Amino acid sequence: MAPYLESVKSFADVPITDAGVDTAAFLEAADGLVGLFDLFQSAAFAVVQNDIKGNITGVRNRFLTDPEANKTLELLVENERKEGKATATEKLKWLLRGLSFTCKGLQHTQADAEIELSKAFAKSYKETLERFHNFIMKGVFALALNGCPHRAAFYTKLAADSTGGPSVTSERLNEDLNKWLDALSTIVVRMESFRQKGRLSKL
């Protein structure tokens, strides 16, 4: 095994072509992001993690009905719309929102060496998910944010080798994490553009 970011599919390795974002690779990378929450070791974040898992499953189920026809996220949405459906499209909408929340939270953490995860993710929540949530869900997320680990503990776990080998240096960790986040942000922005063109319905 290896430090966490080296053990999962990186968003930087998700192919993006004229046809769109490679669905299979994107879902594999999203699986890796789900595992990232395990490093938080907070039961309060289970609702966030499970929501993302469920949305990944919904998109993957649609993809597996015809992997070639649904080889990009954009094609998957277009094909579903032609059938008068929006089941996977709705799942993708919420998956992208969850990924954006996580991405921005970590980007805030990377940009400010003093900020704690709870504050970074609280800021991200206001920027991404808060406007879509009712009173109950806002309370759930408030609880989750209070359960964030301390920044130092999280980065230590992120850098650690799961087999007990040497941890990666902070320079290497920051380089890998920034690359991972930049690539994820690119995908989220691309799909937002797709939405603005009226293709990702109801986003």
Side-chain angles (χ1 to χ4, degrees):
M1 297 293 288
Y4 189 79
L5 292 179
E6 295 179 15
S7 68
V8 297
K9 181 79 171 182
S10 172
F11 285 101
D13 295 326
V14 175
I16 300 176
T17 65
D18 290 341
V21 178
D22 185 276
T23 305
F26 168 78
L27 292 174
E28 184 181 351
D31 284 333
L33 182 142
V34 168
L36 188 71
F37 285 107
D38 289 335
L39 301 181
F40 281 29
Q41 294 186 328
S42 170
F45 258 93
V47 65
V48 181
Q49 190 177 39
N50 289 334
D51 183 65
I52 294 175
K53 281 183 181 178
N55 290 323
I56 291 173
T57 298
V59 177
R60 181 172 279 124
N61 286 343
R62 173 68 193 193
F63 167 69
L64 292 175
T65 63
D66 191 336
E68 181 58 29
N70 300 313
K71 63 184 178 181
T72 69
L73 296 179
E74 290 88 340
L75 288 173
L76 183 150
V77 170
E78 294 283 12
N79 290 334
E80 190 173 56
R81 188 168 68 167
K82 289 175 184 176
E83 298 173 12
K85 299 177 181 178
T87 304
T89 298
E90 186 75 4
K91 294 291 186 180
L92 178 59
K93 173 182 73 176
W94 283 102
L95 174 55
L96 289 167
R97 287 174 178 171
L99 296 179
S100 180
F101 161 71
T102 309
C103 181
K104 287 182 179 295
L106 291 173
Q107 284 179 324
H108 289 319
T109 308
Q110 286 293 94
D112 182 350
E114 301 300 322
I115 194 171
E116 284 292 338
L117 265 66
S118 57
K119 292 185 178 180
F121 275 91
K123 184 176 181 181
S124 173
Y125 181 66
K126 289 183 178 296
E127 296 169 341
T128 58
L129 292 174
E130 185 179 51
R131 66 184 181 275
F132 302 115
H133 285 170
N134 58 27
F135 176 78
I136 294 175
M137 282 304 298
K138 288 177 181 178
V140 169
F141 268 76
L143 179 63
L145 294 172
N146 286 333
C148 281
H150 288 297
R151 175 196 181 100
F154 172 71
Y155 273 83
T156 295
K157 292 174 184 175
L158 199 57
D161 188 301
S162 60
T163 60
S167 299
V168 296
T169 64
S170 58
E171 292 79 8
R172 175 64 181 275
L173 176 60
N174 285 326
E175 179 182 347
D176 289 348
L177 184 54
N178 286 334
K179 183 178 180 181
W180 193 75
L181 294 171
D182 287 347
L184 173 55
S185 180
T186 294
I187 292 172
V188 171
V189 169
R190 179 187 177 94
M191 296 309 296
E192 171 63 13
S193 177
F194 186 63
R195 180 201 69 80
Q196 290 179 357
K197 293 176 182 177
R199 314 312 275 277
L200 187 52
S201 61
K202 300 181 181 179
L203 179 61

